[in-house]
Amino acid sequence: MRLLHTSDWHLGRSFHRVDMLGAQAEFVGHLVATVRERAVDAVVVSGDVYDRAVPPLAAVELFDDALHRLAALGVPTVMISGNHDSARRLGVAAGLIDRAGIHLRTEPSAAGTPVVLADAHGDVAFYGLPYLEPALVKDEFGVEKAGHESVLAAAMDRVRADLAGRAPGTRSVVLAHAFVTGGQPSDSERDITVGGVAAVPAGVFDGVDYVALGHLHGCQTLTDRIRYSGSPLPYSFSEADHRKSMWLVDLAADGTVGAERVDCPVPRPLARIRGTLDDLLADPGLARHEEAWVEATLTDPVRPADPMARLTERFPHTLSLVFDPDREREEGEESYARRLAGRSDQQIAEDFVAHVRGTGPDPHEQRVLSDAFDAVRADDTVREVAR
């Protein structure tokens, strides 16, 4: 069975205020053409179809168009909701849409109930594990501690239990939206840290033939059987070196996996350039970036006049301007943004406690802070879905 694995469409999202809907529509057309031209048997979409719980109308219309075009091909599609989606909204009318071969899996309770498709070698069971917000699903899965590993492990126990009751030789595919240990994140994914932990070990997914992951925006292989497709378009300059693609996966009769990357259309390349303003404007080696979306980091010791206007004369698609003066910094001069770069909310809060009190929080206070952040994020999720 030949599968096309994609995820993280983020329909409705912009890139540094640039409307990406046209590029997203081009990707949908490319997806449909790939399904038709490469004899794909099933499409799997591993979450974050939309960029937010209440997407703009144009994004909903594009999603509707994608579903109609996929259904018209007669190729089954299995989709799950991600942490950006409203599971309840995405799953509306799932029962009716199911009849058209579009299988939306947004309910955690259905983790052990697969979509079963067949080829010449027998059945393939597709298990959809939507994004599982630990605080909201721990009761469903009967786990004491709300954490990503515990709820995913419980969901996978249901998958393995169902699979064990099926005919010998039944192959299995799991769709999941999670941060799995070994994956490389970028700046454009929403933080899903719970209790100080965001990632789950790959061993959670033992016992199935292929795991189609979503959430991380870089296409990557964790094992031959566990892969991220990544997002089809860039959503931050940290993705400048990404090769945006989908996985064309061949699942053999014995469950062996073969995979090929299928490149996605590039609306415009990304470039990160660094130097003094005069050097950036004069360097002939940067000519290849003149039509790219550009993030420019200026190292001038003193901020130059009209830097954006001057940059856009040569690089008309400059979208981001960063100042990082190349000079000795006085103690305490480091910018607020630089001091916070790469630090979690928990770490920032602990630093604040240490700054105010002269000593950092003890283990009990760290747990209080962690529980507070987890509760706020869970509450934000509930409020966003309820809007």
Side-chain angles (χ1 to χ4, degrees):
M1 183 172 287
R2 173 165 284 184
L3 317 176
L4 188 63
H5 168 199
T6 178
S7 72
D8 295 273
W9 295 0
H10 288 278
L11 301 181
R13 186 166 184 163
S14 61
F15 179 73
H16 286 267
R17 300 177 302 282
V18 173
D19 185 355
M20 296 290 278
L21 198 66
Q24 290 169 340
E26 185 178 359
F27 160 70
V28 168
H30 171 68
L31 172 76
V32 172
T34 301
V35 171
R36 183 175 56 248
E37 295 165 8
R38 300 299 300 271
V40 170
D41 298 306
V43 177
V44 294
V45 186
S46 299
D48 281 353
V49 174
Y50 292 122
D51 188 55
R52 56 183 185 267
V54 186
L57 178 59
V60 177
E61 290 173 341
L62 179 55
F63 179 58
D64 181 65
D65 177 62
L67 295 187
H68 277 83
R69 294 170 73 179
L70 287 169
L73 291 176
V75 175
T77 299
V78 185
M79 286 184 179
I80 61 172
S81 50
N83 62 301
H84 280 251
D85 298 309
S86 164
R88 294 176 66 182
R89 283 189 172 86
L90 188 64
V92 167
L96 290 173
I97 297 172
D98 198 78
R99 299 178 187 178
I102 306 294
H103 308 283
L104 297 172
R105 291 297 180 263
T106 63
E107 291 293 332
S109 59
T113 305
V115 175
V116 180
L117 305 177
D119 64 8
H121 305 292
D123 287 346
V124 180
F126 290 79
Y127 297 90
L129 276 55
Y131 172 67
L132 303 175
E133 177 61 48
L136 303 182
V137 302
K138 68 181 183 69
D139 292 339
E140 164 65 34
F141 291 106
V143 299
E144 293 184 6
K145 186 177 180 180
H148 288 296
E149 182 175 355
S150 60
V151 297
L152 265 174
M156 282 302 301
D157 285 344
R158 294 188 184 183
V159 169
R160 285 184 284 265
D162 180 84
L163 194 57
R166 295 190 175 273
T170 299
R171 289 157 290 164
S172 54
V173 175
V174 166
L175 290 73
H177 196 87
F179 186 173
V180 178
T181 302
Q184 296 300 312
S186 62
D187 293 343
S188 53
E189 298 111 9
R190 182 181 293 172
D191 181 29
I192 59 171
T193 300
V194 173
V197 178
V200 300
V204 165
F205 298 104
D206 286 350
V208 296
D209 293 310
Y210 184 69
V211 181
L213 292 175
H215 179 57
L216 300 185
H217 288 182
C219 182
Q220 47 201 297
T221 300
L222 303 187
T223 74
D224 286 343
R225 297 179 181 274
I226 305 177
R227 300 170 188 265
Y228 282 100
S229 67
S231 61
L233 294 166
Y235 294 112
S236 73
F237 276 103
S238 66
E239 301 167 58
D241 295 329
H242 286 189
R243 174 187 162 196
K244 295 300 183 182
S245 58
M246 303 176 286
W247 284 112
L248 193 65
V249 177
D250 287 314
L251 191 61
D254 62 356
T256 303
V257 172
E260 172 192 345
R261 290 179 72 173
V262 178
D263 290 332
C264 295
V266 178
R268 193 177 295 278
L270 306 187
R272 301 178 107 171
I273 59 177
R274 178 185 179 90
T276 66
L277 179 58
D278 288 342
D279 286 347
L280 296 182
L281 295 177
D283 186 353
L286 298 180
R288 67 188 187 278
H289 299 315
E290 289 177 355
E291 294 304 316
W293 280 321
V294 168
E295 178 185 73
T297 298
L298 299 185
T299 61
D300 301 74
V302 177
R303 184 174 300 209
D306 300 321
M308 181 61 88
R310 294 169 64 189
L311 272 170
T312 53
E313 288 181 2
R314 183 180 186 188
F315 306 102
H317 305 287
T318 301
L319 300 180
S320 176
L321 187 56
V322 180
F323 294 96
D324 186 19
D326 188 11
R327 56 182 168 80
E328 290 291 331
R329 295 181 182 274
E330 297 179 4
E331 186 176 354
E333 187 185 5
E334 188 176 34
S335 72
Y336 180 71
R338 181 181 287 272
R339 292 199 304 272
L340 298 188
R343 301 186 69 74
S344 67
D345 291 341
Q346 176 87 14
Q347 291 169 321
I348 294 169
E350 291 180 9
D351 288 348
F352 176 76
V353 172
H355 174 74
V356 171
R357 197 170 64 185
T359 181
D362 62 30
H364 171 71
E365 292 169 331
Q366 289 175 335
R367 287 193 298 274
V368 170
L369 287 170
S370 177
D371 290 345
F373 282 120
D374 292 347
V376 168
R377 197 188 62 258
D379 184 63
D380 285 346
T381 300
V382 171
R383 289 174 180 272
E384 188 172 358
V385 171
R387 283 190 336 194

